[in-house]
Amino acid sequence: MSAPAPLALLCLPCAGASASMYLRWRRLVPSWVRIVPVELPGRGARMGEAFVEDFDALVARLCVEQADAMCGDFAVFGHSMGALLAHGVTRRLQSLHRPLPRALLVSGCAAPSRRDPERFDGGEDDASLTAELRKQGGTPEEVFSSEELMRITLDTLRADRRVCRSHAHVAAWPPLPLPIHAFAGRDDDIEAPAMAAWSEETGGTCTLDWFDGGHFFLRHHETAFLAALARRLPTPLNQAHFQAPLPAHQGQI
């Protein structure tokens, strides 16, 4: 008898980043989790492709490209812009009557109903984008010291801001029939009610875990974050072959 497949966790990157931000997680998560870093057009291994700057178009493309990964036992995670895309992908799967993820996990992103539509207006010159990267604190110093890496990062961030700007909240969506688990940094500029509003997107369980740190708490407190992530993930359907996650330490919303 072959070993059961682990839970596939599709991981969508934040604005300005590539799938490489999740590569190290492969050796840090439990054996029953298979990290699937999702590369977006125009970056990383897909740098030769044009950026997709429209939110709905990008979501539709991801649902086609990741169809194989979204079969069987899977969950979807995203940080910041990636969380917005993860939600968009889940909603599109719902509208197409395709199998849904076992859970939606969102990090460092206000709920769709609480997003500020003016947040991404203007500020696309190099100086403004560089200041934003400095403020968020998630960019390695070697990127700032490399003209080539900065050019790549700024061009990617500029395109991703347009993705975020083109997102439109659909209030008429029915609740998702799956749990949503949200994660946030106490020093991030996203207010607590905007994070708690993720509960409006689901008819099931919604949890919210807080961490010390700002927008990139998941990087600066990686060990604690990955432990919480493992607690929130659903164990594989054939879970007898794997060690179950530790019990949750935070309450439900």
Side-chain angles (χ1 to χ4, degrees), residues 109-238:
C109 180
S113 63
R114 298 295 190 275
R115 294 182 69 249
D116 178 3
E118 300 179 357
R119 179 179 178 184
F120 296 98
D121 289 345
E124 290 189 357
D125 58 281
D126 286 358
S128 296
L129 294 178
T130 300
E132 180 179 338
L133 290 172
R134 289 285 190 187
K135 176 185 177 183
Q136 299 292 4
T139 306
E141 194 59 40
E142 52 265 29
V143 173
F144 291 107
S145 61
S146 167
E147 183 176 346
E148 179 182 5
L149 291 177
M150 274 300 287
R151 182 75 275 139
I152 293 171
T153 301
L154 293 176
D155 289 347
T156 303
L157 181 58
R158 186 175 291 110
D160 288 346
R161 285 175 62 89
R162 294 169 184 169
V163 170
C164 294
R165 188 186 308 137
S166 66
H167 171 271
H169 173 56
V170 180
W173 279 114
L176 287 166
L178 50 85
I180 294 180
H181 302 295
F183 308 88
R186 294 185 178 93
D187 298 325
D188 200 351
D189 59 4
I190 303 174
E191 297 183 352
M195 290 299 308
W198 278 106
S199 63
E200 300 170 3
E201 301 296 317
T202 178
T205 298
C206 186
T207 64
L208 175 56
D209 290 299
W210 290 93
F211 299 84
D212 291 336
H215 192 62
F216 282 94
F217 62 89
L218 77 173
R219 180 172 297 166
H220 300 146
H221 301 282
E222 186 177 62
T223 300
F225 171 75
L226 290 179
L229 183 71
R231 284 192 294 267
R232 294 307 186 191
L233 282 172
T235 50
L237 293 172
N238 195 344

Side-chain angles (χ1 to χ4, degrees), residues 10 12 38-41 46 52 55-71 74 85 88-90 92-93 95-96 98-99:
L10 283 74
L12 290 148
V38 177
E39 194 73 275
L40 306 181
R46 304 180 67 178
V52 178
F55 182 85
D56 290 338
L58 183 54
V59 163
R61 186 161 172 177
L62 289 171
C63 286
V64 172
E65 294 176 347
Q66 300 298 322
D68 288 345
M70 293 189 293
C71 289
F74 75 100
L85 288 172
V89 165
T90 305
R92 182 168 176 80
L93 294 176
S95 70
L96 296 174
R98 283 174 50 181

